[in-house]
Amino acid sequence: MISVDISNIWGSAALPDLLSIEKEVFDAHKTLEDATGAGNDFLGWRHLADDPENDEVMRIRAAAKKIRESCDVFVVVGIGGSYLGPRAALELLYGQNHNLTKGHPQIFFAGNNLSTASWHELCQLLEGKDFCLNIISKSGTTTEPAIATRALRWMAERKYGAEKAKERIFVTTDPAKGALRQMATEEGYETFVIPPNVGGRFSVLSAVGLLPMAVAGIDPVEILTAAHQARKELDIRSFDNPVWQYTASRNLLYRAGKVMELLCCYEPDFTFFGRWWQQLFGESEGKDGKGIFPACAEFTADLHSLGQMIQQGERNFFETVVKFAPPKKKVAIEMDWKDLDGLNYLEGKTLDFVQEQAFAGTLAAHTDGGVPVILLQAGDISVSTIGELFYFFELACGVSAYTLGVNPFNQPGVEFYKKNMFHLLGKPGY
Ligand code: PA5
């Protein structure tokens, strides 16, 4: 199970304060589990993993097999909660270059921007390739994926003919409502469901995350089994609960003026997991003039860019470091007879040993510099750790937002830019 080490926050938080916030966290967790809080019609994410071998999961497995057998490229169309989760899992498990190294169809993500350059690049990547599409949108009307969908559907129909193209298009959307549901029904595409009581950023354990993961070879049953196990383990109603420890510490630090959380990891392949986390917490907590600003950093790379700011800049943030178990396959540093780089003192030491010293040195420097650090120990990088991490952060986000006093499950602010954009674009009704 994920463990939380809060021994490096005491410079900015005191034990009595932590004990006094415990009651608030208890209440927040109870509110969430009893479904009595704001947004309680969006709590379906807690049960997505209840039955890891349900019919939908079996259909996902079958569709993934078909996709793997029939295409070179699998394009996942979606934005925000409709793509960050599966991309996070893929990159953390297989690496950012998984399309070059793994045996699954190449997997590209589209419809998450309005960039002409990205579109041209995707067209180039698809040239001469057999492809399948997974269009993911709960509302079915989000502009970015809708534009990409229109173009990719035409591309598929031109290449395969209208009827054959249908076999290559898979839709993940609301079970009954929305433009995408209507399109899928009229065109006869195979569909998967985002339950109405699951919001986008909490949907990774639905078909939103599971189908792209399954195409990449990550078994949905394994992911769900791990998340299900996490749900059971994280149901402890005491301060032994790592979710409580994380939630209490971050809210306490926020009250002490630490208005920003920097989620750091020493694995570059964690980058998209960080972005998934960033959306989860940012969209859930940032409202009513409140919220801890979620930012991400990759260590050690960003120590060479953000390090100065972290060490000596404004003291208004804390760090949460996600730490994985040491790698099983080690790499040793070799001897060089000329030793021009002066590294022979490390001869025979392993790369992860050096990383561990960088971690320990950075932790000491940052805490000395007035940056409280929460440490999340997450075990080895594996399918089950990923399933556990998804559920851990979702639960922590819900409990934390209630502790903060906001509704975790709406996002009224996201609509503002859209309204302005629609007005400028001349969309009817705006
Ligand atoms: O968390 C959310 O609700 C949002 O980030 C959505 O996931 C995102 O805006 C995409 O919406 P949709 O799936 O309706 O296209």
Side-chain angles (χ1 to χ4, degrees), residues 48 54 56-57 59-60 134-138 170-177 181 190-198 203-211:
L48 288 172
N54 66 54
E56 174 101 337
V57 174
R59 281 201 311 115
I60 288 171
N134 182 196
I135 304 159
I136 309 176
S137 176
K138 187 172 180 202
F170 300 81
V171 164
T172 307
T173 190
D174 184 275
K177 297 195 310 262
R181 169 57 56 185
E190 176 159 13
T191 60
F192 297 93
V193 161
I194 309 174
N197 60 354
V198 176
S203 68
V204 61
L205 298 172
S206 74
V208 169
L210 298 179
L211 180 59

Side-chain angles (χ1 to χ4, degrees), residues 79-82 136-140 142 145 200-201 279 283 411 418:
I79 195 165
S82 289
I136 309 176
S137 176
K138 187 172 180 202
S139 62
T142 308
R201 59 190 171 277
Q279 186 206 358
E283 234 172 62
Q411 55 283 328
K418 292 186 192 167

Side-chain angles (χ1 to χ4, degrees), residues 71 73 126 129-133 152 155-156 159-160 168:
C71 69
V73 177
L126 291 179
K129 301 271 177 64
D130 276 318
F131 63 89
C132 288
L133 307 176
L152 285 163
M155 210 189 262
K159 188 173 169 90
Y160 301 106
R168 294 178 171 272

